[in-house]
Amino acid sequence: HLLARSVKLTEEVGELSGEVLAILGAQRKEKLDIMSLENLGHECADVIITTLLVAKHLSIDIDTSLEQKVLKIKNRFSL
């Protein structure tokens, strides 16, 4: 199950990358024709959801991990 979720995460990141390339105009013509900010948002959501599912599968306390990471970033950049 973990392997499948990890592969799915890789797939979703690839799809998000394709949408970013399309937004930047660096994608093939046929991909540019179907590009939209809505699609980009959906791909971002897919990456987040799949990441959360991987964390859940590994029993990671994602709330605590996010809080710690945000604090670390704030300290690093004096925010």
Side-chain angles (χ1 to χ4, degrees), residues 6-36:
S6 297
V7 170
K8 183 66 175 170
L9 179 57
T10 301
E11 174 191 356
E12 296 299 349
V13 170
E15 291 174 4
L16 175 60
S17 297
E19 289 297 323
V20 170
L21 287 172
I23 292 291
L24 297 174
Q27 190 60 279
R28 296 187 316 265
K29 171 85 171 92
E30 59 271 12
K31 296 261 185 170
L32 289 174
D33 291 340
I34 60 171
M35 174 277 306
S36 74

Side-chain angles (χ1 to χ4, degrees), residues 59-72:
S59 300
I60 292 171
D61 180 352
I62 198 67
D63 291 331
T64 299
S65 295
L66 284 169
E67 287 173 6
Q68 291 171 348
K69 191 62 172 183
V70 167
L71 183 59
K72 185 176 181 179

Side-chain angles (χ1 to χ4, degrees), residues 3 18 20 32 38 52 54 71-72 79:
L3 177 60
V20 170
L32 289 174
E38 183 177 6
L52 291 172
V54 169
L71 183 59
K72 185 176 181 179
L79 301 175

